[in-house]
Amino acid sequence: MDDHDPESTRRRTPGGGVTPTAQEIQPSAPDEFGLVQAWWGGGKGKTTAALGMAFRAAGHGYRVHILQFMKGGADSVESVRGEYNAIAAMPGLSYENTGHYGWHGMRDGSNEDDHATEAQAGLERTNELIDAAAGVDLTEPLSLSGDPEDGMHMLVLDEVLYAVSSGLIDESDVLGLIERKPENLELILTGSHEKPTYLFDHAELVTEVRKHKHPMDSGIRARKGTEY
């Protein structure tokens, strides 16, 4: 067959020219994990992008854990998030929340000192999770029903960059996490409207999510199924 023939070209790709189909999820291990990704900016979609990667990785049978900073609930949304229900139904994917109720700096009646305390607790918990990942062979499959303390292939630190830009944890704290992480752990960082220039020399992917227009600008509040 001619090497320039489209069919020949497709068959030389990783997919081999075969249309993908859903398969049963079995414990597996990634071949090329170990990078640091950061998602920041004033636009909607940072957490959504991270969750999408988390679900994709879990769909391949990799063990994924999500630790959320600064998302302990707020008066503007109901006391349930759709992603939590979806995570609970997905093998190999788990989450925990170290946020304090309300939003830091928003004068919503929540205690600012509590926000700082919870952010520090999130940092301490992250160090525990990194230690757990460092204690196992991440080139091997992990139990999809195991606890985070048994290790993970991907760790998502949702809103951790907001904790930095809000002064609740230091830039050096996040850089320390990157330095300490095991070689094969994929680390995902989200949050912050401020450019995290301190990460540029330490992350392989930095994406700015920009806002051109948002429903909230015209008074539309957070909606179930899109924002929570």
Side-chain angles (χ1 to χ4, degrees):
M1 184 178 290
D2 185 353
D3 287 344
H4 298 289
D5 178 77
E7 181 64 22
S8 176
T9 300
R10 281 195 297 270
R11 294 195 180 282
R12 291 198 302 271
T13 66
V18 178
T19 301
T21 58
Q23 301 176 7
E24 183 180 356
I25 297 175
Q26 298 289 343
S28 184
D31 295 325
E32 300 179 303
F33 270 19
L35 303 186
V36 177
Q37 303 187 34
W39 295 75
W40 74 281
K44 168 181 164 59
K46 299 179 288 295
T47 294
T48 303
L51 288 174
M53 281 189 291
F55 273 93
R56 176 178 289 159
H60 284 295
Y62 309 153
R63 184 67 177 89
V64 182
H65 188 64
I66 301 167
L67 175 64
Q68 292 191 315
F69 288 71
M70 305 180 69
K71 277 190 174 175
D75 292 337
S76 59
V77 298
E78 297 178 22
S79 59
V80 63
R81 291 196 178 97
E83 60 262 39
Y84 294 172
N85 295 337
I87 289 169
M90 183 70 179
L93 185 55
S94 57
Y95 81 95
E96 59 187 288
N97 190 308
T98 63
H100 181 66
Y101 193 87
W103 289 101
H104 179 263
M106 294 297 288
R107 298 181 179 178
D108 55 8
S110 60
N111 189 318
E112 297 297 283
D113 290 338
D114 288 340
H115 285 294
T117 298
E118 293 292 345
Q120 287 297 320
L123 181 63
E124 293 174 8
R125 176 58 174 162
T126 302
N127 277 294
E128 293 175 358
L129 294 170
I130 287 178
D131 287 342
V136 299
D137 185 353
L138 297 181
T139 66
E140 295 292 330
L142 299 173
S143 171
L144 301 184
S145 59
D147 294 326
E149 288 76 14
D150 298 326
M152 73 289 300
H153 298 110
M154 174 185 285
L155 176 60
V156 178
L157 301 181
D158 186 37
E159 311 294 19
V160 65
L161 303 183
Y162 273 127
V164 174
S165 62
S166 297
L168 300 177
I169 61 177
D170 295 330
E171 295 176 1
S172 60
D173 292 326
V174 175
L175 296 180
L177 296 175
I178 294 173
E179 183 177 345
R180 292 184 61 249
K181 84 170 189 68
E183 179 181 2
N184 295 305
L185 177 66
E186 192 84 1
L187 185 62
I188 315 297
L189 314 171
T190 79
S192 183
H193 288 189
E194 299 177 9
K195 183 183 294 187
T197 54
Y198 59 94
L199 288 177
F200 284 15
D201 292 333
H202 304 273
E204 284 74 23
L205 182 149
V206 179
T207 296
E208 179 184 2
V209 181
R210 299 180 62 186
K211 184 191 80 167
H212 292 282
K213 190 176 183 180
H214 196 293
M216 292 182 68
D217 297 336
S218 58
I220 300 175
R221 302 187 70 181
R223 297 175 298 146
K224 183 186 291 187
T226 59
E227 280 72 49
Y228 67 93

